[in-house]
Amino acid sequence: MGASIRTIATPEDLTAEIRYRPSIAAQRLVRARDMTCRFLGCDHPAEYADLDHTVPYGRPGGLTHPGNIATLCRKHHLLKTFWVGEGGWSELQLDDGTIVWTSPSGLKHRAPPGSRIYFPNWDPTTPLPDTPTPVTEPTPGRDLRMPTRRRTRAQQRAATIAAERRRNHEDRLAQCTAPF
Ligand SMILES: [Zn+2]
């Protein structure tokens, strides 16, 4: 059996979508263009990375379109989601897919998508279409949340000890009632 071949949409075929989740065609284009997580120096494969709106969906310019979407691994997606704004990182996506990251100290770093380096003959330039940002209601639970413990470490330890005591107690009871 040969490998299955998937075609990738040309950037001009893709318009801004009036929804948060990009179409399969847009996802394929972004993953093929990016190749890896787009944070500086990260080589996490794009195939298994999150798709992040560079400008948050629904804000001015926050379109669901490859020109505003890039792959980030879960770790760097969390970093971006929780460490942006004043004193944090910020990013800007250029038409050719390059992301310009600004570090908390104000240094700018250019991160071209992997395909620019490995497939220089393919031009996945995806300028944002001149479409007004759709006005949408925020969908509850759609944003990435910082993972939290359901129990504190102390609660977890207490629960483990209680479960162990319960098992011991049940074992003793079973021994007492076992027929001789
Ligand atoms: Zn990463």
Side-chain angles (χ1 to χ4, degrees), residues 36-44 71-77:
T36 61
C37 164
R38 301 300 308 283
F39 194 70
L40 304 166
C42 184
D43 61 1
H44 185 96
T71 53
L72 286 176
C73 70
R74 184 55 57 93
K75 185 174 79 177
H76 290 125
H77 198 177

Side-chain angles (χ1 to χ4, degrees), residues 77-115:
H77 198 177
L78 285 166
L79 176 138
K80 182 196 151 174
T81 305
F82 293 100
W83 198 17
V84 291
E86 210 171 310
W89 289 84
S90 64
E91 63 174 329
L92 173 75
Q93 187 172 159
L94 308 181
D95 286 353
D96 72 350
T98 295
I99 290 188
V100 182
W101 290 96
T102 305
S103 74
S105 60
L107 284 177
K108 289 190 189 303
H109 307 264
R110 286 173 71 92
S115 60

